[in-house]
Amino acid sequence: MSTIKRFFRDEKGATAIEYGLIAAGISVAIIGVVVGVGSGLNTTFTSVQNALK
């Protein structure tokens, strides 16, 4: 019975899951920024290309 109580009080796994969720959130934010910047750069290079024609 004491082993079961110790198992439920152990929070090491919960901490690892929290760090994983934080890393996933940061990854989603980085991907969003990269996609946004990429679209802006594509528009800029397209307008420069058209101006050089």
Side-chain angles (χ1 to χ4, degrees), residues 3-15:
T3 306
I4 294 172
K5 287 180 183 178
R6 213 174 337 124
F7 176 75
F8 283 113
R9 279 185 283 182
D10 187 12
E11 295 183 0
K12 291 178 186 172
T15 303

Side-chain angles (χ1 to χ4, degrees), residues 4-52:
I4 294 172
K5 287 180 183 178
R6 213 174 337 124
F7 176 75
F8 283 113
R9 279 185 283 182
D10 187 12
E11 295 183 0
K12 291 178 186 172
T15 303
I17 291 171
E18 290 168 356
Y19 283 131
L21 290 173
I22 291 169
I26 291 171
S27 299
V28 168
I30 289 172
I31 290 170
V33 168
V34 168
V35 167
V37 170
S39 297
L41 283 176
N42 189 21
T43 303
T44 302
F45 283 122
T46 302
S47 65
V48 168
Q49 179 184 9
N50 290 334
L52 291 175

